[in-house]
Amino acid sequence: MSVFAVLDQAAVRFGDQGAVFHGQSCVSTWVQLRDRALRLAASLRLQGIPPGTRIAIASENRPEIVELFFAAWAAECAVVPINFKLHPREMQQILEDSGAAQVFASAKIGPELGAFTDVPIDIVGSAGYRDRFAAEPAAVPDTDPETLAWLFYTSGTTGRSKGAMLSHRNLMAMTVAHLADIDSPDDACSLIHGAPMSHGSGLYVLPYVLRGARQVVPGSGSFDTGEFLDLCDHHPGASAFLAPTMVQRLVEMGRPRPRNLRTIVYGGGPMYVESMKKALAAFGPVFAQIYGQGESPMTITGLRRADHEGADDAVLGSVGYARSGMQVAVLDDDGLPVPTGQVGEIACRGDAVMTGYWNNPAATAETLQGGWLRTGDVGSFDGRGFLTLRDRSKDVVISGGSNIYPREVEEALLEHPGVSEACVVGAPDAEWGEVVVAFVVAASGPAAPTPALADELDAHLLQRIARFKRPKRYEMIAELPKNSYGKVLKRELRSHLS
């Protein structure tokens, strides 16, 4: 079954009801959305793009992203959503690796990206984009469910981007699991896209479209606390997927709970127990949690709204139960399940798990072992079946819901002539979950940290990596602590953080 069927069924069931909104304004009904997607699909075929092609989207949140997803699937192509916060050079690397034949970009991103790639770029909303709708609608596809639908780029600890291949079957399993476990919207509900649609918020288009819930894109194209709460006041049955940082900002605003707020699904990073208690006190039992990865999109474990009511600290500090259709285990170094309460690597298997990494059989074999997805996360089950994350075997820093890979930042720092060695770690932060801290050994020897040097390194990094990946703090040290094999002892560096 093609995931385009989700929209096809919605158009039949919900017809002329509002489907996509920009702020408070309706831009298309379900019938219109289906027609626009099929016309866009036909325009791709007329362009000479065959089935199986990768179609990239590089844009801040826009209402057109919804029609672009379904247009790609109607053309039997795969979407490659790109984080709009990335540097154009990083976007180009994704385009090169995926072999994307077409990019749809916003007017803000397209010109900058064009300086780094030869892949054709169509500016969303431009005259050329509007001309595509002159094509006669394509036929509804009959796609093999094992066909690639979504290529989700997630870096490893080396910083090298890897494309997790998500099939139509994977996305349908995610969709059904969300409706079974987390939220059960109907056509009197709305999904507000405050978080990036290149990630979790975009994936959740599917379950909410299937139930006829409005797709609401903020006019700002991003997350603004006041705008988000206003949209929750305006649109019925308002739901959203948000990073913990976003939830904390809503709480800090001090505004009353919006009258139409229904569900906030949080995930993508750690939510501290005290922060969750404050959120519950401010907004009531509207929260649900998901734990997943790009390799098993939004679907490993979860906590329902009901699980948050009257919950103890152990429950609020956990990531919940195994999701419907998923088997979750905690394994030892030999791949065997550990007893309840003991710590090991978290693994999962089920129809939501990716088919592998794009053009990377070695990484696929390392991550998919014996039918299990080895997550690289460390945790334990309690006697009630709640899974708690204890640590990450990978050194990924999760800041504000975004993954930041230390080696990528370290390599960029080492390109500066004043840096001899560098090591990047994550430090706990009440607002962001974690922030990036860089320990730097100066090429000229020990030096005291100065604002001028920090500014110089910031400017250096801005030419190489995305702004959000830069360190929030620099620590100048005489040498990096290492073991006898020359490996940097990050645990010793973390012990210096306060």
Side-chain angles (χ1 to χ4, degrees):
M1 178 181 184
S2 166
V3 287
F4 183 83
V6 168
L7 174 58
D8 197 36
Q9 293 174 3
V12 173
R13 295 177 63 190
F14 309 112
D16 292 329
Q17 295 181 37
V20 180
F21 289 73
H22 197 200
Q24 298 184 9
S25 302
C26 180
V27 297
S28 66
T29 66
W30 293 107
V31 168
Q32 290 169 340
L33 176 60
R34 178 183 182 275
D35 181 72
R36 289 176 66 85
L38 290 173
R39 289 178 186 274
L40 273 174
S43 77
L44 291 172
R45 291 289 176 82
L46 290 172
Q47 187 180 335
I49 291 180
T53 302
R54 278 74 61 206
I55 305 296
I57 303 171
S59 173
E60 61 275 17
N61 289 1
R62 294 181 58 97
E64 292 92 345
I65 291 177
V66 181
E67 65 192 23
L68 284 167
F69 285 166
F70 286 103
W73 295 325
E76 298 187 88
C77 296
V79 296
V80 185
I82 299 176
N83 184 350
F84 71 90
K85 297 179 182 179
L86 292 179
H87 191 282
R89 189 189 310 275
E90 296 169 307
M91 295 185 183
Q92 186 275 333
Q93 293 170 354
I94 291 175
L95 295 177
E96 180 179 354
D97 186 77
S98 67
Q102 174 68 50
V103 183
F104 290 96
S106 67
K108 178 180 179 181
I109 293 172
E112 294 182 356
L113 181 57
F116 289 84
T117 183
D118 294 328
V119 179
I121 299 174
D122 199 338
I123 302 299
V124 177
S126 68
Y129 181 80
R130 294 193 298 271
D131 287 345
R132 288 180 174 272
F133 296 99
E136 289 296 316
V140 174
D142 181 18
T143 307
D144 186 321
E146 304 306 328
T147 300
L148 178 65
W150 184 296
L151 195 53
F152 190 99
Y153 272 84
T154 174
S155 297
T157 53
T158 64
R160 177 68 178 174
S161 292
K162 295 180 292 188
M165 297 187 291
L166 303 177
S167 68
H168 289 259
R169 183 186 300 280
N170 294 150
L171 295 184
M172 285 303 300
M174 176 207 72
T175 297
V176 172
H178 182 78
L179 297 174
D181 305 330
I182 304 299
D183 197 16
S184 185
D186 58 25
D187 59 332
C189 293
S190 309
L191 179 64
I192 300 178
H193 293 287
M197 296 175 73
S198 56
H199 290 65
S201 199
L203 285 164
Y204 278 162
V205 164
L206 286 166
Y208 288 85
V209 166
L210 183 60
R211 291 291 181 86
R214 298 178 178 188
Q215 304 295 308
V216 181
V217 180
S220 67
S222 60
F223 181 72
D224 176 87
T225 52
E227 179 185 30
F228 177 83
L229 292 172
D230 288 343
L231 290 173
C232 289
D233 270 330
H234 178 80
H235 290 283
S239 299
F241 171 77
L242 299 178
T245 299
M246 298 174 178
V247 175
Q248 292 176 42
R249 290 179 179 175
L250 293 177
V251 173
E252 290 167 1
M253 276 204 74
R255 277 180 49 172
R257 170 182 169 176
R259 61 178 176 271
N260 293 329
L261 181 59
R262 182 174 182 274
T263 305
I264 291 179
V265 181
Y266 63 94
M271 172 68 89
Y272 295 109
V273 172
E274 290 305 312
S275 297
M276 188 72 262
K277 288 179 177 179
K278 292 177 182 178
L280 288 165
F283 295 112
V286 300
F287 296 98
Q289 180 187 181
I290 62 93
Y291 163 54
Q293 296 183 331
E295 293 86 347
S296 185
M298 317 295 280
T299 315
I300 297 178
T301 63
L303 284 173
R304 305 165 300 165
R305 288 191 301 254
D307 294 324
H308 287 75
E309 295 186 56
D312 58 33
D313 287 2
V315 173
L316 292 181
S318 78
V319 290
Y321 294 109
R323 299 287 300 281
S324 294
M326 294 295 293
Q327 185 179 359
V328 182
V330 176
L331 307 178
D332 63 17
D333 291 341
D334 295 321
L336 300 174
V338 302
T340 299
Q342 290 193 14
V343 172
E345 183 180 7
I346 299 166
C348 66
R349 60 186 177 189
D351 279 352
V353 173
M354 68 171 183
T355 61
Y357 290 115
W358 177 258
N359 287 339
N360 197 335
T364 298
E366 181 181 355
T367 303
L368 298 179
Q369 299 181 20
W372 291 95
L373 168 66
R374 305 297 290 261
T375 67
D377 291 331
V378 174
S380 61
F381 277 111
D382 68 13
R384 296 176 290 180
F386 290 103
L387 178 69
T388 298
L389 300 182
R390 302 298 179 185
D391 202 349
R392 289 190 300 278
S393 59
K394 301 172 184 177
D395 289 321
V396 179
V397 179
I398 302 179
S399 183
S402 295
N403 285 4
I404 301 171
Y405 300 91
R407 183 168 176 178
E408 183 181 16
V409 183
E410 291 161 2
E411 289 180 347
L413 283 169
L414 289 170
E415 292 179 18
H416 190 283
V419 176
S420 173
E421 291 185 285
C423 184
V424 168
V425 301
D429 183 82
E431 179 183 6
W432 294 97
E434 290 181 300
V435 294
V436 175
V437 177
F439 287 86
V440 175
V441 178
S444 57
T450 66
L453 177 59
D455 290 344
E456 186 178 332
L457 292 176
D458 272 347
H460 169 80
L461 292 177
L462 272 176
Q463 302 302 314
R464 289 160 176 80
I465 59 175
R467 181 179 296 271
F468 72 93
K469 298 179 181 179
R470 293 175 304 156
K472 298 289 186 184
R473 174 176 153 195
Y474 296 88
E475 296 283 348
M476 304 300 296
I477 57 176
E479 61 182 1
L480 295 176
K482 299 173 184 175
N483 64 15
S484 58
Y485 297 99
K487 181 178 179 180
V488 176
L489 300 174
K490 290 195 172 186
R491 64 178 180 274
E492 289 193 18
L493 293 176
R494 292 189 182 100
S495 71
H496 295 294
L497 300 175
S498 58

